[in-house]
Amino acid sequence: MIVIDAASPVPPFEQLRAQLARQIQDHTLAVGTRLPTIRRLAADLGLAVNTVGRAYRELEEAGLIETRGSAGSFVSAAGEKGRERASRAAAEYAAVIASVGIDANEAIRIVKAALTMGIAVSPATRDPKEA
């Protein structure tokens, strides 16, 4: 269930995008699930069509949904692939940490620092051989 808080400082498209992303990531919306049309969801939520369209576009850019022309928008398997890739990267990181003798608490601090300081490698700057 999507709830848009008109009193929130967060723009409605972002509220919608975040809630759909969360439902996709926690599997409330399974891979292959057909999403409501933009017009239908806009009417149901009392939002402008462009607001819902923007949320869908951002979800598509993030790989969480895919649009199949007139067939509609569906939850994408790409989100699962990303989660699997992250899991493999975490296993590789754990192996490196163990090999250099860093304890688990320090390893977690290193990851948190990388995530909060924005030093994680972005898709645009990573090595193409890793793709």
Side-chain angles (χ1 to χ4, degrees), residues 23-110:
Q23 289 180 15
I24 291 167
Q25 291 166 344
D26 71 11
H27 302 285
T28 301
L29 290 172
V31 170
T33 300
R34 186 174 191 269
L35 299 176
T37 65
I38 290 171
R39 289 186 188 282
R40 172 63 177 239
L41 190 55
D44 289 350
L45 296 174
L47 297 173
V49 171
N50 289 340
T51 299
V52 176
R54 181 173 178 187
Y56 274 31
R57 277 190 306 280
E58 291 197 9
L59 290 166
E60 190 161 20
E61 288 171 7
L64 295 174
I65 69 171
E66 59 187 38
T67 301
R68 301 176 190 158
S70 61
S73 296
F74 297 82
V75 174
S76 171
E80 275 304 305
K81 290 176 186 169
R83 188 175 285 112
E84 290 169 12
R85 184 172 170 206
S87 182
R88 284 192 309 273
E92 291 172 17
Y93 177 68
V96 168
I97 292 303
S99 74
V100 297
I102 295 175
D103 72 65
N105 289 330
E106 179 63 15
I108 290 168
R109 283 192 292 275
I110 291 168

